[in-house]
Amino acid sequence: MTFDKSPDGRGRGYHHGNLREALIETALRLIAERGPSGFAFVELARAAGVSPAAPYRHFADRGALLAEVARRGFERFTEALETAWNGGRPDPVTALEACGRAYLAFARREPASYAVMFETGIPLEDDPALRAASERAFAVLRRASEALCATMTQNRPPALMVALHIWSLAHGIASLFIGHGESGRRRLPMTPEDLLEAGVLIYLQSLGLGAARATP
Amino acid sequence: MTFDKSPDGRGRGYHHGNLREALIETALRLIAERGPSGFAFVELARAAGVSPAAPYRHFADRGALLAEVARRGFERFTEALETAWNGGRPDPVTALEACGRAYLAFARREPASYAVMFETGIPLEDDPALRAASERAFAVLRRASEALCATMTQNRPPALMVALHIWSLAHGIASLFIGHGESGRRRLPMTPEDLLEAGVLIYLQSLGLGAARATP
DNA sequence: ATGTCATGTGAACAGCGTTTACACCACTCG
DNA sequence: CGAGTGGTGTAAACGCTGTTCACATGACAT
């Protein structure tokens, strides 16, 4: 692998030198602008100043590029959740709420990735790396729920179920009220963040965790 | 408008007689089989035994057909929710749970409609009929939440917020765990229906509605 | 210097969405 | 009953897409 060109793709010779990354970056930009099916494979090639056949040296087909975009998305998503969880500090309830905010923040900051990860019917069963990345993301929420349930002494609910509830609520809110260029989505009398925080609070209160916060 | 052919589309003359409906039916079938972007406009024409230009007599373009599919979907969706709500009988909590089951049942029974309605970035701002249909569907959940909140005497939460929480949870579960041909989705240790019912129960319990059921 | 292999090219293919000018025919009106 | 009109379908064409193939290039190891 050789990088014989400036990072913006101009002034190259016969070989691009960074085509794979350039294609992914352009795809992310176009998807963010025009939705998950709003880019043409050939268009990425044009933007990189390369022939329509060149991308096929780096991706088996259009779907493979999408899968790679989704995989990278899941990895950054996992990082964001992990950072927000922060080992359960200062206390599990506060940390879980931080995860919720991180979830929505990701959908806002990387609408293109989020759309490809969740709103495309991307085949995640025949791409082991993609499936694994997706499971690592959910594992963060599951571990968080386990830590949270472990603090309870009675009427302990299944941690997996709690994780699925939080995930579903966060995903539902993100999917209904965030993304698609700020225009195509329904309006809310509150921010999605506040909506999610209130929902999680109500939910956890029912589990007896309403006051299980660190009070420094 | 004349129907000069048998209902299955065979044996017609120059005019099809039922093309608009035939196109929509075929679209629903193909979307259910291959996902929301898995059908070609021309393919619908072929299936109806008609030239590629004929569908343009009935729909401005491919997107208009999708919008019509979504609009009809929202109408059947509204009916299903309304039936499940059943005027809040026997009691609002039980009726709201029935709505939750109806929500998931719709996503299961009409995966094609559901996908077009919610998982395509369909432009619902520039089609008033579509937008109205979508709002009528949500209005059912909102009225249900209002009836439910009206039964509370203290600490009454905003009904709109409750409706948004229920909707988001139901949509999150449907979107993550139902549809796309039973294969492309994540596996669960319980049915989506049970997951949703448990979530709603925990949520409502926190609002003091855990025992607000009719006990005949 | 030479050979190799990853990477890019050019040309071609079928299929798609869409438009245009034209053909048909069920119906209304005289 | 006969003429004409408007809704519906046709044929042919356009540019664009995803994809493949044989071939060209040149970075790098030997």
Side-chain angles (χ1 to χ4, degrees), chain B residues 14-16 51 57-58:
Chain B
Y14 188 91
H15 289 94
H16 183 285
S51 85
R57 296 292 172 198
H58 300 273

Side-chain angles (χ1 to χ4, degrees), chain A residues 12 14 16 51 53 57-58:
Chain A
R12 69 179 185 89
Y14 188 90
H16 183 286
S51 85
R57 296 293 172 195
H58 299 273

